[in-house]
Amino acid sequence: MKLAIFDFNGTIFPKETMPFILNQWYKNKYSKYKLLKVFVPLIPLYLKYKMGLTSNLSKEEMEIEAVRGVSKIFTGMSKEEINNFFNRAVISAKKFFNKPVVMEITECKKKGYHTVLLSGAYKPFLREVGELLNIDTVIGSQFLYKDNCLNMISREGIISGSNKLDKLQSFFKEHKIDWENSKAYADSYHDLQLLKSVGKPVAVDPDFELEKVAKSNNWRIIHCN
């Protein structure tokens, strides 16, 4: 089996996923109290992340804290309510999808690749994206439920750049993967380990560090914007 692995944030979707989710919460007129309760504590973290200010957390650790922090807005909601929210969110998100990457997904399927959506975004959200884009396998950050209501999201259940390859290999451990002929699409230097694991890495609108690596290794680069 050969895989075509696609990142979401910055690759399929050019916007920041966590702020987008909070914006969808506001636009769809969910509780403003819960929004403020979740958003206000995240402001310092978000400013440090966007402006590159000094922090005792790495960029990846800040992303993990954002995923955990935003997830609190769904606490107490049922699976059905959460799925309905993300169904609406994906309808709004799809108009921003990078068309060249969506075309790559279609072409990979035609060529017999098993397509994979691998991202730190929430799995209920990614599952809706996967259905929309006809992606075979979805691997994302897991919600934990108790009595059918969201309880929490564990740190161990969050997917980040440093553990993406481990999560991917664990998921496909019962399959014989042709890594040399597999593809991976990503935009961030944090995904370097994943990109190096396949024979056909593709940098999509890469950040500065990834672009340097891609050019030095003659990797394919897709510029969407």
Side-chain angles (χ1 to χ4, degrees), residues 4-70:
I5 308 145
F6 294 85
D7 174 47
F8 181 70
N9 190 58
T11 302
I12 293 175
F13 187 60
K15 294 180 174 291
E16 294 287 347
T17 306
M18 294 303 114
F20 174 79
I21 286 172
L22 292 179
N23 183 256
Q24 289 301 300
W25 183 277
Y26 174 76
K27 281 188 172 182
N28 285 291
K29 299 181 179 179
Y30 285 84
S31 167
K32 290 182 180 179
Y33 171 75
K34 287 186 77 174
L35 178 62
L36 288 172
K37 189 178 179 181
V38 166
F39 178 66
V40 172
L42 289 173
I43 292 175
L45 184 71
Y46 181 73
L47 291 176
K48 288 178 180 179
Y49 177 85
K50 291 298 291 182
M51 300 177 69
L53 301 177
T54 302
S55 172
N56 59 341
L57 299 176
S58 68
K59 185 175 180 180
E60 183 177 350
E61 288 170 333
M62 285 193 280
E63 289 174 350
I64 291 171
E65 288 305 308
V67 170
R68 293 184 69 192
V70 172

Side-chain angles (χ1 to χ4, degrees), residues 44-200:
L45 184 71
Y46 181 73
L47 291 176
K48 288 178 180 179
Y49 177 85
K50 291 298 291 182
M51 300 177 69
L53 301 177
T54 302
S55 172
N56 59 341
L57 299 176
S58 68
K59 185 175 180 180
E60 183 177 350
E61 288 170 333
M62 285 193 280
E63 289 174 350
I64 291 171
E65 288 305 308
V67 170
R68 293 184 69 192
V70 172
S71 71
K72 294 176 182 177
I73 206 165
F74 302 108
T75 302
M77 292 175 67
S78 69
K79 283 185 180 181
E80 183 180 5
E81 290 171 328
I82 291 171
N83 290 339
N84 285 340
F85 172 85
F86 284 125
N87 179 267
R88 290 182 180 180
V90 168
I91 291 171
S92 296
K94 68 178 181 180
K95 62 178 175 285
F96 299 108
F97 287 175
N98 281 326
K99 291 182 180 178
V101 181
V102 173
M103 289 174 63
E104 289 285 325
I105 296 171
T106 302
E107 286 302 309
C108 285
K109 290 188 71 67
K110 287 180 181 178
K111 293 177 180 178
Y113 285 87
H114 182 95
T115 52
V116 181
L117 179 54
L118 175 64
S119 171
Y122 308 124
K123 189 167 183 179
F125 180 52
L126 296 175
R127 190 165 52 240
E128 296 288 340
V129 174
E131 289 183 7
L132 180 67
L133 299 179
N134 196 26
I135 292 174
D136 300 306
T137 295
V138 172
I139 306 173
S141 295
Q142 295 277 9
F143 282 162
L144 296 179
Y145 293 90
K146 183 177 181 181
D147 299 327
N148 200 46
C149 290
L150 180 67
N151 185 28
M152 61 178 291
I153 183 169
S154 70
R155 191 176 182 87
E156 295 74 24
I158 295 175
I159 293 177
S160 61
S162 62
N163 70 13
K164 273 186 177 180
L165 183 57
D166 288 341
K167 296 285 187 182
L168 180 72
Q169 290 175 334
S170 176
F171 189 92
F172 287 101
K173 63 183 178 181
E174 303 298 328
H175 300 267
K176 186 176 181 180
I177 303 301
D178 180 358
W179 294 104
E180 184 59 31
N181 287 303
S182 291
K183 296 182 178 184
Y185 298 75
D187 69 299
S188 173
Y189 183 79
H190 294 299
D191 291 322
L192 189 60
Q193 186 182 19
L194 173 66
L195 290 165
K196 284 185 172 182
S197 72
V198 300
K200 300 177 180 180

